Amino acid sequence: QVQLVEAGGGLVQPGGSLRLSCAASGSIFSIHDMAWYRQAPGKQRELVATITNGGSTNYLDSVKGRFIISRDNAKNTVYLQLNSLKPEDTAVYYCKAEIFVTTLRPLDYWGRGTQVTVSS
């Protein structure tokens, strides 16, 4: 059925940058809201950024001014640009998409995550 695959994670020094991507594939009629979450070991998963199908965005306070969420609807892909990275940004980053697979109503789908490690 529907599959979301994240990419772009890795090891970066404090102050560095990464760009994450999440591509959706499968039986997709349309995609509405998309979002990025993150989860550090032993911690609760937290919402990092959201973007509507109209392009409106919202961010976690601690990442405002540093991260940018965007999307390419033609490619069924959402991106997260991470700038000025800090050690506390270390986590597994997950994407979520609200997707219509029928015309009835949308359902939430999750990727399996990509690791971001910020360390000197």
Side-chain angles (χ1 to χ4, degrees), residues 77-116:
T77 300
V78 61
Y79 303 91
L80 187 68
Q81 179 70 41
L82 302 87
N83 299 316
S84 301
L85 283 162
K86 304 174 180 179
E88 52 263 43
D89 295 318
T90 296
V92 177
Y93 284 70
Y94 300 88
C95 70
K96 187 192 77 173
E98 185 184 29
I99 299 176
F100 278 98
V101 297
T102 70
T103 59
L104 184 60
R105 60 188 176 93
L107 297 174
D108 289 341
Y109 293 86
W110 290 83
R112 293 187 176 182
T114 184
Q115 177 71 49
V116 172

Side-chain angles (χ1 to χ4, degrees), residues 32-44:
H32 281 240
D33 295 356
M34 305 183 83
W36 286 95
Y37 289 73
R38 68 185 182 187
Q39 187 169 24
K43 306 293 184 180
Q44 290 289 107

